[in-house]
Amino acid sequence: MDSVERPSSYRWTICALLFVATTINYVDRQVLGILAPTLQRELHWTEADYGDIVSWFSFAYAFGFLVAGRVIDWIGVRKGLGIAVVAWSVAAIGHAFARTAAGFSFARAALGASESAIFPGSIKTVAEWFPQRERALATGIFNAGTNTGAILTPLLVPWIALRWGWQWAFVTTGALGFLWLLIWIPLYRNPPVTGVAVAEPRMPWVSLFGYRQTWAFIVGKLLADPVWWFYLYWLPKFLDAKYGVKLAQVAAPIIAVYLIADVGSVGGGWLSSALIKRGWSVNRARKATMLAMAILIMPTTLASQAPSMWAAVLIVAVAAAAHQAWSANVYTLASDMFPKSAVGSVVGIGAFAGAMGGVVFQRVTGRVLQANGSDYTPIFVVCGLAYVTAWTIIHLLAPRLEPARLAIRET
């Protein structure tokens, strides 16, 4: 049972703050993707160079998750997210001073390590503020910030870069986090707790790996997250290579993809929450929603063969929307199966797996494209089949989404 029996309406203000933070997080991480064709020509990067540069973000992001989830469980989300936003804003601005592939790799690693706090912190906040029946919806709302950030970036970055240079694109967007802090610090407070406090299970971090529920969450992230990052970092390059879409024209197709993805983010969270309210079990509602999304993603295998740019964009947009609906529900699995005291750590572990999958996928993508003349077909085939594979494994590991029975440890 949730400790907050009568949720305060202030929880939606908190959700809005998480949405804005997630938006800024994704603006900062996507600037490089929008500028990639320009920087590749100006700085003479190969496909493998670019794949390695973006993989450093994923690598540091992965290990950052292991630390961020545990630290946020320890110090709380107010301090944890505040510190993280300062760190990633500084790292984002630091890209403006890089001139070599090694310099950009260092900046990406710093950005990845610091941005890793956003999802463990946000999921933990939702678990603390929202009852179970609303968590997928709240997660879908703040997770929609990923799409909003991806929409704003192609509007802001080309405009700034074409007028003042690519360096100022990194500086201007990197400064947004400091503005968010001016709101977060005075507004955030801990949720009110009613009723008798119940001791929650606490246990050594490493022992979480002994639960099938942890591995179900890991699989949901490991197979899906690399696909999302492929869209984020490689879609502008795909459109450039396949259809000749340059920096000044990239905004329209990218915005279309992420506007549609926003519908999936909120809609996917709403759908499973609505099914639960109609009497469906949590297991049935989450699994049905996730399976529907996995099926919607399968046509992505044909994206590289689309006869026109807008046909390809539509295929990717539907897949991106389905991914976001999938993601809203996968994140909620952590709070479905684990007590609040362990949610940050479990999300950190799963996100580590997803990010490490991203490291491998980014590096392999760069080398596959360099070897086959920028033919994206094998990459899109992997993207289209990843989710149905993940759903099957999750169902085998957690057939009923039973809560993990953690032993209570005195603290």
Side-chain angles (χ1 to χ4, degrees):
M1 177 180 292
D2 294 303
S3 60
V4 184
E5 295 177 357
R6 296 180 180 177
S8 166
S9 61
Y10 191 71
R11 68 194 186 281
W12 296 110
T13 300
I14 299 301
C15 189
L17 288 172
L18 297 177
F19 167 82
V20 174
T22 307
T23 298
I24 295 170
N25 183 285
Y26 262 71
V27 167
D28 287 343
R29 78 173 64 180
Q30 202 197 3
V31 174
L32 181 63
I34 296 297
L35 293 175
T38 300
L39 291 173
Q40 190 164 5
R41 284 186 281 266
E42 182 173 328
L43 302 178
H44 309 294
W45 295 340
T46 66
E47 295 281 15
D49 286 336
Y50 180 69
D52 289 349
I53 288 168
V54 296
S55 76
W56 276 108
F57 175 95
S58 301
F59 185 79
Y61 195 62
F63 282 94
F65 269 126
L66 296 181
V67 177
R70 199 62 168 176
V71 168
I72 287 173
D73 277 341
W74 175 42
I75 67 174
V77 294
R78 184 175 184 270
K79 290 181 181 178
L81 285 180
I83 293 169
V85 171
V86 171
W88 91 52
S89 298
V90 171
I93 293 170
H95 286 67
F97 302 96
R99 293 297 181 273
T100 65
F104 274 93
S105 295
F106 180 82
R108 295 310 286 177
L111 185 67
S114 49
E115 285 201 339
S116 63
I118 186 64
F119 287 105
S122 296
I123 296 298
K124 184 177 178 66
T125 303
V126 167
E128 291 179 344
W129 276 92
F130 288 83
Q132 187 179 54
R133 67 182 182 276
E134 294 180 346
R135 287 177 190 164
L137 175 58
T139 300
I141 291 172
F142 87 70
N143 193 50
T146 63
N147 309 308
T148 304
I151 290 167
L152 291 176
T153 310
L155 289 173
L156 293 173
V157 170
W159 185 81
I160 296 170
L162 291 171
R163 283 161 179 77
W164 296 297
W166 60 262
Q167 295 90 342
W168 280 104
F170 287 109
V171 172
T172 304
T173 55
L176 295 174
F178 296 110
L179 298 179
W180 179 84
L181 281 171
L182 297 178
I183 304 173
W184 174 257
I185 292 173
L187 280 186
Y188 186 85
R189 61 175 186 262
N190 291 326
V193 178
T194 61
V196 179
V198 178
E200 287 197 331
R202 293 185 181 274
M203 60 192 311
W205 175 86
V206 71
S207 64
L208 292 170
F209 288 95
Y211 294 87
R212 291 164 65 93
Q213 291 92 335
T214 302
W215 287 101
F217 185 75
I218 286 172
V219 168
K221 300 294 290 175
L222 174 64
L223 296 182
D225 282 12
V227 178
W228 176 254
W229 286 344
F230 168 73
Y231 299 148
L232 198 67
Y233 295 138
W234 294 88
L235 184 57
K237 284 174 58 58
F238 166 68
L239 296 176
D240 182 20
K242 180 79 173 179
Y243 304 105
V245 178
K246 304 303 180 186
L247 182 62
Q249 295 85 39
V250 76
I254 296 297
I255 289 171
V257 167
Y258 292 108
L259 275 176
I260 295 173
D262 251 337
V263 176
S265 182
V266 178
W270 170 85
L271 178 58
S272 66
S273 294
L275 292 174
I276 292 171
K277 289 180 180 179
R278 290 177 64 88
W280 287 39
S281 68
V282 170
N283 177 61
R284 188 182 175 200
R286 303 276 193 250
K287 296 273 185 68
T289 302
M290 291 167 63
L291 179 59
M293 298 308 111
I295 293 170
L296 280 175
I297 290 168
M298 292 180 71
T300 310
T301 56
L302 305 174
S304 65
Q305 307 303 316
S308 69
M309 185 268 289
W310 282 110
V313 166
L314 179 60
I315 292 172
V316 172
V318 171
H323 168 90
Q324 291 294 66
W326 168 279
S327 186
N329 284 276
V330 167
Y331 272 125
T332 309
L333 295 184
S335 56
D336 288 336
M337 298 187 293
F338 289 91
K340 296 170 190 175
S341 60
V343 165
S345 297
V346 172
V347 171
I349 291 168
F352 168 82
M356 288 305 293
V359 171
V360 175
F361 199 46
Q362 305 300 338
R363 288 178 176 262
V364 169
T365 295
R367 283 156 177 79
V368 167
L369 294 175
Q370 188 162 313
N372 70 2
S374 296
D375 179 4
Y376 282 77
T377 300
I379 308 301
F380 278 113
V381 168
V382 173
C383 294
L385 299 178
Y387 297 77
V388 69
T389 303
W391 186 92
T392 302
I393 298 172
I394 289 171
H395 184 62
L396 291 173
L397 288 171
R400 293 184 297 277
L401 297 183
E402 308 97 330
R405 297 181 179 180
L406 307 187
I408 295 178
R409 185 181 73 179
E410 296 297 329
T411 58

